């Protein structure tokens, strides 16, 4: 007898994350850095950076490393 259940065809990757609750909410928009706001306030073309503490994305035109909301570097 052949099993036609789609779940039976999934091959699990041995090092995949499992048991981790993934947030279904959209990340917060943390806005532009102060230096980027001084250049252009619309934010078009700025690069996004993830802040793990704020669980959101902040944007900058420059190679900055500090979140404008919490100050976390990285």
């Amino acid at each position: 007898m052949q099993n036609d259940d789609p779940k039976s065809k999934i091959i699990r990757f041995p090092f995949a994350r499992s048991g981790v609750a993934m947030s279904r909410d959209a990340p917060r928009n943390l806005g532009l850095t102060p230096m980027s706001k001084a250049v252009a306030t619309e934010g078009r073309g700025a690069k996004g950076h993830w802040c793990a503490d704020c669980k959101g994305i902040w944007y900058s035109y420059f190679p900055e490393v500090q979140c404008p909301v919490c100050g976390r570097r990285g």
Side-chain angles (χ1 to χ4, degrees):
M1 186 168 138
Q2 192 176 21
N3 189 352
D4 291 332
D5 182 21
K7 291 181 182 178
S8 67
K9 296 177 184 178
I10 296 174
I11 300 172
R12 302 230 181 254
F13 187 70
F15 300 107
R17 291 182 182 181
S18 61
V20 177
M22 297 296 290
S23 174
R24 301 228 187 267
D25 299 331
R28 292 176 45 201
N29 182 353
L30 303 176
L32 286 169
T33 61
M35 188 164 44
S36 293
K37 283 181 188 174
V39 173
T41 57
E42 75 275 350
R44 198 173 314 154
K47 303 248 189 231
H49 305 276
W50 175 254
C51 178
D53 289 347
C54 296
K55 304 225 180 339
I57 301 171
W58 55 273
Y59 299 90
S60 177
Y61 293 110
F62 306 102
E64 299 177 82
V65 296
Q66 186 169 342
C67 173
V69 175
C70 70
R72 179 176 190 256
R73 298 177 61 88

